[in-house]
């Protein structure tokens, strides 16, 4: 009798799993319908079914939550770094204005045009340096975020989530056999 009740429980669990799989698959299909058609074409029924199967196990949710937490911390850190750089630039500009103002007040009137021309060149050089530092910071931020995306892709690929593999091309379609 115990053997039969165990088999019955397994059958009921299997039916529940199958029902949950269909619910998740249906929800994923609904989400895909909201995407532009170019993206819809990339997500085959098999890929969606495989994703639904991966979602049956709560492990994927835990992995994604961990990746999301890491991403938020990284974004916050990068944002704060950029704010610090902007603040340093603001202080630099303010100090330069103050220095120029003091120099102009101490300057004799006949030397003022020469001083102003030199100050203009200095200001342009500082502004150029600031733009270069901001550009370098922005490039660093983009590279760091790209690394995080690659880490996320790798983690999800290793976890066996369908359709995930490391790529830097946002237009690439999964190769056949990888979630197609």
């Amino acid at each position: 009798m115990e053997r039969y009740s165990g088999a019955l429980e397994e059958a009921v669990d299997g039916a529940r799993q199958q029902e949950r799989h269909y619910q998740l698959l249906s929800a994923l299909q609904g989400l895909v319908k909201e995407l532009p058609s170019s993206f819809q074409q990339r997500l085959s029924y098999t890929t969606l079914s495989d994703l639904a199967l991966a979602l049956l196990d709560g492990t994927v949710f835990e992995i994604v939550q961990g990746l999301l937490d890491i991403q938020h911390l990284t974004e916050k850190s990068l944002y704060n770094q950029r704010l610090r750089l902007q603040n340093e630039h603001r202080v630099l500009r303010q100090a330069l204005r103050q220095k120029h103002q003091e120099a102009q007040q101490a300057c004799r009137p006949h030397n003022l045009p020469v001083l102003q021309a030199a100050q203009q060149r200095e200001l342009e050089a500082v502004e150029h340096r600031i733009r270069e530092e901001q550009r370098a910071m922005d490039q660093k931020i983009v590279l760091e975020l790209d690394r995080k995306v690659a880490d996320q892709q790798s983690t999800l690929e290793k976890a066996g989530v369908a359709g995930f593999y490391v790529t830097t091309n946002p237009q690439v379609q999964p190769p056949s056999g990888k979630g197609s």
Side-chain angles (χ1 to χ4, degrees), residues 92-105:
L92 178 64
R93 284 181 178 115
Q94 193 174 12
L96 185 62
R97 276 194 302 275
Q98 182 68 30
K99 175 184 149 193
H100 286 181
Q101 201 171 43
E102 290 171 3
Q104 287 177 12
Q105 289 172 351

Side-chain angles (χ1 to χ4, degrees), residues 75-92:
E75 288 172 352
K76 185 175 181 178
S77 172
L78 293 170
Y79 176 75
N80 286 332
Q81 288 176 35
R82 192 163 198 292
L83 282 181
R84 277 193 298 278
L85 181 65
Q86 287 176 329
N87 191 46
E88 289 171 17
H89 291 159
R90 185 183 54 74
V91 169
L92 178 64

